[in-house]
Amino acid sequence: MATMRDVAERAGVSIATVSFVVNGTKRVTDATRARVEDAMRELGFRRNPVGAALANGRTRIIALLFPTLERTLSHTAVAFFTSAARRARERGYDLILWPIGSDIEHIDVLARGGLVDGVILMEVKLDDPRVAALAVNHVPFAMIGRTADPSGVPYVDIDMATSAREAYERLAALGHRDIAYVYSEGVQYDHGADARSRQAYREAAAAHGRPATLIPCAEHPTAGRELGERFAAEHPDATAVILLNEHAAPGLLAGLAQAGVRVPQDLSVLSLGSSAYMASMTDPPLSYLRTPGPELGELGFDAVLQRLTAPDEAPMQALLPCEYVPGDTMAAPRG
Amino acid sequence: MATMRDVAERAGVSIATVSFVVNGTKRVTDATRARVEDAMRELGFRRNPVGAALANGRTRIIALLFPTLERTLSHTAVAFFTSAARRARERGYDLILWPIGSDIEHIDVLARGGLVDGVILMEVKLDDPRVAALAVNHVPFAMIGRTADPSGVPYVDIDMATSAREAYERLAALGHRDIAYVYSEGVQYDHGADARSRQAYREAAAAHGRPATLIPCAEHPTAGRELGERFAAEHPDATAVILLNEHAAPGLLAGLAQAGVRVPQDLSVLSLGSSAYMASMTDPPLSYLRTPGPELGELGFDAVLQRLTAPDEAPMQALLPCEYVPGDTMAAPRG
DNA sequence: CTGAAAGCGCTTACAG
DNA sequence: CTGAAAGCGCTTACAG
């Protein structure tokens, strides 16, 4: 483990000069640079990022916080991470996934200690204690999602209210009058996306003078299957379902088929916030409102990066729509 | 951002004493400890892990390397990570997911620089350059998976050869004679688990005096669906399929149904290396050989930890079997 | 039981 | 263009 001192000695220069060469941070004559580079190669030198971090307070590492231990990481959620990681790489940063939940103590040891330059929060709640903790400690961060009042805080989020309304209106336009809503059981009530779309569903139903039918379902295909099998018995009037639980989707359709409910002839299903991958997991393939996962991942990274490079600019605040992708699970209600 | 120096001043002690209190690393009188703890509380002190890491060479962070940018992170793969993270937490460590592939340069900057204490490799190839790079640099690591010759290197792996053989034998015992094998297209040919099970399939077929039928399929439900739809036409003799591509499974069954192939009456399907979650995504639910994901995640962490705490002990080398879980996709061949 | 001091591997004004 | 030196925030023998 050669250090800069070793390289400096071998090259006959000061360690400052080695640092300049390594980081390209100051002009160095070609001859000197060549000597230093030879020495580095001969010794197999690699800069120790911990030393660098302590000296200049930067690691070029951004952490994405996702509570994997509390919430299942869906394929769609993985897309956020992957696209953010790709963008980070393009910008010369590293993105890591840190599986911590709301353990604030833990969070700011990591973040404020300088191990990472910034943080991206996922699974943001309406009232999220992590936001205050990070802000107080001056840790640069951005949210993918947003709190109830995100003023002044950088975020990129899905416009769930609009999307939920769109889902309702699309089904209503086909002639559906009894539209139920299946959500993820076990998701905290104040989970941002969940709460907002539930609320929008309620309002849309009210606007149409219809009751709201909220049906919980665990985030697992087996739970979906069970729901599908008993659905017709429990909700005989419903002709359409808005689904905000992609883990349950394949099971739900299988269970419905099992119980003799034909999709879409007897029941339309519209998945709210899904991806091509998950939508094509079901039979028939789902009609869905596509989560702009890759876009949000990239923007999320850009949003933290902006905090680092241009802290005086107004924070990025972006709300992206879901895009409707037709599948084979929507039709007009029967006669 | 109060430092230890600040705390020491306020408490009227030396920073050494503060360090002893923070880390519980030396006996301190109750009175002194109380003064230090008060000062820490008043100043909102948190130990800076970068300073600590530079001084003692440890961060209590382990990185799991998974090439998310090159390979889709399946739900089953996420289970490895989650269980390793949970175990890490139990042991007072943090586990992070670092999405880097075979970029060796990158790897040892991170690992050897002391940012992390150790590394867990996933997606190990038969001849994997990362192994040599880490070994040369004395980075403690363990593999989940293994190279062609893993002697002396710590690993935990699935016994894919035995599992693939078991898959074949189970189908053969039901009376199947034409058993095809569907693998993940795009997975490098020397991916350990993939190569080993493919080879075992070939050998099992040969032992039964039957030809080997290897069918590639991309890791996506849509690819599975297309394969399902054309399967009967292209492989009219096959009465059973061993599947090592869980992304394609739901689509494959949907495509088969679409083409009028009944599972399991016309075709048996046995998924090799899957989880309850993925198996219940399909209709009907898959029969499968269960990947011991949670077990491997935990053991993988233990294997690196052992390198840190007992470097002189023989490295852990464990091979875990898959367990057969009956579903609804296996039956005797018709006629 | 507690403290003074060296050191971990870098970066970065400040001189020259 | 290059170097000497202070400093980033800790830990840890070594004394006392």
Side-chain angles (χ1 to χ4, degrees):
Chain A
M1 295 237 288
T3 68
M4 278 196 177
R5 185 201 305 280
D6 301 327
V7 175
E9 262 174 30
R10 182 164 197 121
V13 300
S14 75
I15 63 169
T17 302
V18 176
S19 175
F20 299 152
V21 170
V22 168
N23 300 301
T25 165
K26 250 188 191 173
R27 167 140 281 132
V28 168
T29 57
D30 288 351
T32 314
R33 169 190 312 284
R35 287 219 311 287
V36 172
E37 283 171 348
D38 286 349
M40 293 201 296
R41 199 172 313 111
E42 288 160 17
L43 295 171
F45 171 78
R46 298 233 192 283
R47 170 163 150 285
N48 179 323
V50 174
L54 188 57
N56 74 3
R58 263 170 282 121
T59 57
R60 296 187 81 83
I61 298 174
I62 303 288
L64 178 76
L65 266 42
F66 191 103
T68 16
L69 267 37
E70 299 158 20
R71 184 113 199 256
T72 306
L73 193 63
S74 73
H75 195 270
T76 303
V78 167
F80 287 88
F81 173 58
T82 304
S83 69
R86 182 169 293 119
R87 177 65 130 224
R89 194 62 52 85
E90 287 169 14
R91 298 279 184 268
Y93 280 78
D94 265 292
L95 186 81
I96 61 175
L97 178 65
W98 214 312
I100 43 185
S102 38
D103 180 355
I104 292 178
E105 191 94 359
H106 207 149
I107 288 173
D108 58 36
V109 166
L110 303 173
R112 138 167 134 157
L115 230 30
V116 300
D117 292 352
V119 163
I120 301 175
L121 293 182
M122 279 188 70
E123 299 293 305
V124 178
K125 300 178 186 176
L126 291 178
D127 180 16
D128 199 314
R130 300 176 296 174
V131 171
L134 292 170
V136 164
N137 290 318
H138 304 103
V139 178
F141 75 100
M143 306 181 275
I144 294 184
R146 68 193 201 280
T147 52
D149 175 14
S151 47
V153 181
Y155 68 80
V156 298
D157 199 2
I158 308 171
D159 188 349
M160 284 308 271
T162 300
S163 297
R165 197 178 315 124
E166 177 179 348
Y168 199 100
E169 295 302 342
R170 280 187 180 275
L171 289 164
L174 283 173
H176 292 280
R177 291 177 45 76
D178 283 283
I179 303 171
Y181 177 98
V182 174
Y183 64 95
S184 293
E185 193 172 23
V187 173
Q188 292 86 343
Y189 192 74
D190 67 341
H191 180 273
D194 212 64
R196 288 193 179 88
S197 65
R198 207 179 303 191
Q199 179 59 20
Y201 162 74
R202 277 209 190 82
E203 289 169 6
H208 284 262
R210 308 296 305 163
T213 308
L214 291 151
I215 305 171
C217 183
E219 296 194 298
H220 197 280
T222 302
R225 193 174 301 254
E226 289 162 8
L227 175 59
E229 288 173 0
R230 65 172 196 265
F231 188 88
E234 294 185 359
H235 306 283
D237 295 334
T239 61
V241 163
I242 296 171
L243 178 66
L244 187 61
N245 180 341
E246 53 178 346
H247 301 279
L252 177 64
L253 294 209
L256 289 167
Q258 177 71 28
V261 178
R262 294 165 304 163
V263 173
Q265 297 90 328
D266 301 331
L267 187 73
S268 286
V269 177
L270 176 52
S271 182
L272 181 52
S274 198
S275 59
Y277 178 96
M278 289 307 288
S280 51
M281 280 276 172
T282 67
D283 188 26
L286 284 172
S287 299
Y288 65 105
L289 283 154
R290 177 186 165 276
T291 300
E295 297 86 335
L296 283 177
E298 290 191 359
L299 273 180
F301 179 79
D302 289 346
V304 224
L305 187 57
Q306 189 211 31
R307 296 291 82 202
L308 297 174
T309 57
D312 297 330
E313 285 179 19
M316 182 187 300
Q317 300 194 324
L319 221 45
L320 270 60
C322 289
E323 175 201 6
Y324 175 67
V325 182
D328 296 329
T329 59
M330 274 175 60
R334 57 180 184 277
Chain B
M1 296 234 287
T3 68
M4 278 196 177
R5 184 201 306 279
D6 300 328
V7 175
E9 263 174 29
R10 182 162 198 122
V13 299
S14 75
I15 62 169
T17 301
V18 177
S19 175
F20 299 151
V21 170
V22 168
N23 300 300
T25 164
K26 250 188 192 175
R27 166 141 279 131
V28 167
T29 57
D30 289 351
T32 315
R33 169 190 313 283
R35 286 221 309 286
V36 172
E37 282 171 348
D38 286 348
M40 293 200 298
R41 200 172 312 111
E42 288 159 19
L43 296 171
F45 171 79
R46 298 233 192 282
R47 169 162 151 286
N48 179 322
V50 174
L54 189 57
N56 74 5
R58 263 171 282 120
T59 56
R60 296 187 80 86
I61 297 175
I62 303 288
L64 179 76
L65 267 44
F66 192 103
T68 15
L69 269 34
E70 300 157 20
R71 185 109 201 259
T72 306
L73 193 62
S74 74
H75 194 271
T76 303
V78 168
F80 287 88
F81 173 58
T82 304
S83 68
R86 182 168 293 122
R87 175 68 87 151
R89 193 61 52 87
E90 287 169 13
R91 298 278 184 269
Y93 280 77
D94 265 292
L95 187 80
I96 60 175
L97 178 65
W98 214 310
I100 43 184
S102 39
D103 181 355
I104 293 179
E105 191 95 359
H106 208 146
I107 288 173
D108 57 36
V109 166
L110 303 173
R112 141 167 132 156
L115 230 30
V116 300
D117 292 352
V119 162
I120 301 175
L121 294 182
M122 279 189 69
E123 299 294 304
V124 178
K125 300 177 186 176
L126 291 178
D127 181 15
D128 200 313
R130 300 176 296 174
V131 172
L134 292 170
V136 164
N137 290 318
H138 303 103
V139 179
F141 75 100
M143 306 182 275
I144 294 184
R146 67 192 201 279
T147 52
D149 175 13
S151 45
V153 182
Y155 69 80
V156 298
D157 198 2
I158 308 171
D159 188 349
M160 284 307 271
T162 300
S163 298
R165 198 179 315 125
E166 177 179 347
Y168 198 100
E169 295 302 340
R170 280 188 180 274
L171 290 164
L174 283 173
H176 292 280
R177 291 178 45 78
D178 284 282
I179 303 171
Y181 178 99
V182 174
Y183 65 96
S184 292
E185 192 173 23
V187 174
Q188 292 86 344
Y189 191 74
D190 68 341
H191 180 272
D194 212 64
R196 287 193 180 87
S197 66
R198 206 179 304 191
Q199 178 61 20
Y201 162 74
R202 277 209 191 83
E203 290 169 6
H208 284 261
R210 308 295 306 162
T213 308
L214 292 151
I215 305 170
C217 181
E219 295 195 296
H220 197 282
T222 302
R225 192 174 303 255
E226 289 161 8
L227 175 60
E229 287 172 1
R230 66 173 195 266
F231 188 88
E234 294 186 0
H235 307 283
D237 294 335
T239 60
V241 163
I242 296 171
L243 178 67
L244 187 60
N245 180 341
E246 53 179 344
H247 301 280
L252 177 64
L253 294 208
L256 288 167
Q258 178 70 29
V261 178
R262 294 165 305 162
V263 173
Q265 298 90 329
D266 302 331
L267 187 73
S268 286
V269 177
L270 176 51
S271 181
L272 181 52
S274 197
S275 59
Y277 179 96
M278 290 306 289
S280 51
M281 280 275 173
T282 66
D283 189 25
L286 284 173
S287 300
Y288 65 104
L289 283 155
R290 177 185 165 275
T291 301
E295 297 86 333
L296 283 177
E298 290 191 359
L299 273 180
F301 179 79
D302 289 345
V304 223
L305 186 56
Q306 189 211 31
R307 297 290 83 202
L308 297 173
T309 56
D312 297 329
E313 284 179 21
M316 182 187 299
Q317 300 194 323
L319 220 45
L320 270 60
C322 290
E323 176 201 6
Y324 174 68
V325 182
D328 297 329
T329 59
M330 273 175 60
R334 58 180 183 278

